[in-house]
Amino acid sequence: MKRVLLIACQSQTGQLARVVESVAGPLRDDSAITLDCVTLASVNAYPFPWPFIRFFNTFPETVHERPIPLRPLAIPEDRCYDLVILAYQVWFLSPPPVLSAFLAGSDAARILGGNCPVITIIACRNMWLMAQEAVKKHLAARGARLIDNVVLVDQAHSAATFISTPLWMLTGRRGPFFGGLVPAAGIPDSAIAAARRFGQAIRAALPTLDRSAPKPMLTGLGAVTINDRLIASEVIAKRSFRIWGRLLMAIGGPASVLRRVAVCFYICFLLTMILTVVPVSALLKRFVGIFSGARVARQRAYFAEPSGEDRSRMKGFPDG
């Protein structure tokens, strides 16, 4: 009998919950596998849909991974798992606060220690590299071994998702918007249904999983697709988030009136950057990319680890 623990961040929209259920289905159906599922939830619930200012006012503590109080996890202290699956969304190019709090806490130290094999599942708009880098550091610090990573993203053009995703968060409506000019936000239903293949592969490989030297289970299944045109954008944007986040936290706490005024100024700055600097940098990256193919290939291979890309399955990826 193999024991699997599936830890999923609370899903405000229900999208992550559907992805998790698609992957977990084959494991749940196997009598030789004991699947325990828990949800990471904050003591103070986040709103959905989000009030406009509060949505942006959440990012300073999120990008700096400030701990928040979590609801207790119903996991017996003496229970050891053969595999742990962590499913999360991306908040401001960072792990969501509930995941950061869990990974920094005693429960993670107890559950993930001793070279515990871990598979991460990410459901997001299209930028997840920096969030996964943060998760990888936490896992390494806890003594866990990341053996696979599954990423499902919105497949619309980045320009469209810049509009559709915030509208989904702020209105609670997925779209489409503006008479169909902006497509519906989120991961396509077909991609969520197809994620069942990952659960099937995990179920098939689990009997031979060696905790002392665990190997990837999802190689060749197209678990990740790297959009190399977004790599530099993510790095630059994450640095900007951290700088502005530090400044805003220095002004005051989330309830500070002065900080809320500063957040409004930041929103204007962010929109200006998106409308001016981002298009120019995209053109520059395409030009520079002609002369830096080898470096981009190394970056692509690194971020695709440990599952790797399956180039034979790739019919294209979101255009950044």
Side-chain angles (χ1 to χ4, degrees):
M1 179 70 70
K2 293 288 187 179
R3 286 190 178 275
V4 177
L5 175 62
L6 198 161
I7 303 174
C9 296
Q10 191 170 40
S11 180
Q12 289 184 301
T13 67
Q15 177 174 261
L16 181 65
R18 292 174 58 218
V19 171
V20 166
E21 185 54 39
S22 183
V23 176
L27 305 179
R28 204 186 307 277
D29 295 341
D30 194 324
S31 59
I33 298 174
T34 297
L35 177 65
D36 293 340
C37 299
V38 296
T39 299
L40 295 177
S42 59
V43 170
N44 301 311
Y46 290 99
F48 185 79
W50 284 80
F52 183 80
I53 295 299
R54 185 172 177 184
F55 177 75
F56 289 98
N57 200 18
T58 303
F59 96 84
E61 284 76 16
T62 297
V63 299
H64 285 277
E65 300 183 38
R66 294 295 174 87
I68 61 170
L70 298 177
R71 295 180 185 174
L73 297 179
I75 303 174
E77 291 193 6
D78 60 346
R79 185 158 296 178
C80 182
Y81 291 95
D82 298 288
L83 175 69
V84 172
I85 301 173
L86 291 177
Y88 71 96
Q89 315 94 327
V90 175
W91 289 34
F92 302 103
L93 307 184
S94 306
V98 291
L99 181 57
S100 295
F102 166 74
L103 291 174
S106 58
D107 283 333
R110 170 174 57 87
I111 295 167
L112 301 175
N115 209 48
C116 177
V118 175
I119 294 175
T120 49
I121 299 175
I122 304 171
C124 67
R125 183 176 71 90
N126 60 12
M127 300 175 80
W128 53 270
L129 303 179
M130 297 299 101
Q132 182 68 352
E133 286 298 290
V135 170
K136 285 159 63 175
K137 289 180 181 178
H138 280 293
L139 293 178
R142 291 306 186 193
R145 177 76 67 89
L146 180 66
I147 62 171
D148 278 298
N149 182 34
V150 175
V151 182
L152 278 69
V153 301
D154 189 324
Q155 295 177 7
H157 191 283
S158 287
T161 64
F162 265 128
I163 301 172
S164 62
T165 301
L167 284 176
W168 191 12
M169 297 299 103
L170 298 172
T171 68
R173 294 187 296 109
R174 186 174 176 179
F177 302 96
F178 309 118
L181 292 176
V182 176
I187 300 164
D189 293 342
S190 58
I192 294 177
R196 182 178 175 86
R197 71 186 185 276
F198 302 120
Q200 293 169 335
I202 294 169
R203 179 181 63 187
L206 199 54
T208 60
L209 178 64
D210 180 3
R211 186 178 177 118
S212 64
K215 298 179 180 179
M217 300 177 172
L218 307 179
T219 303
L221 293 180
V224 298
T225 300
I226 305 299
N227 185 343
D228 50 50
R229 289 189 288 275
L230 293 178
I231 295 175
S233 296
E234 280 213 45
V235 173
I236 295 170
K238 185 60 179 285
R239 288 174 182 169
S240 175
F241 279 158
R242 289 188 64 82
I243 292 171
W244 275 92
R246 189 178 297 111
L247 174 62
L248 291 169
M249 287 190 296
I251 291 174
S256 165
V257 174
L258 183 59
R259 171 162 152 175
R260 289 170 179 262
V261 173
V263 167
C264 293
F265 177 81
Y266 172 72
I267 294 170
C268 295
F269 167 81
L270 184 62
L271 290 174
T272 302
M273 291 287 289
I274 290 173
L275 294 174
T276 58
V277 176
V278 171
V280 173
S281 64
L283 291 174
L284 289 175
K285 281 184 290 183
R286 291 197 177 194
F287 176 76
V288 174
I290 299 173
F291 308 99
S292 59
R295 181 178 61 84
V296 171
R298 288 194 299 270
Q299 289 179 321
R300 188 170 194 139
Y302 168 77
F303 287 117
E305 293 177 349
S307 303
E309 295 182 278
D310 181 1
R311 308 292 292 197
S312 66
R313 296 178 60 93
M314 292 168 58
K315 298 179 181 179
F317 49 86
D319 185 5

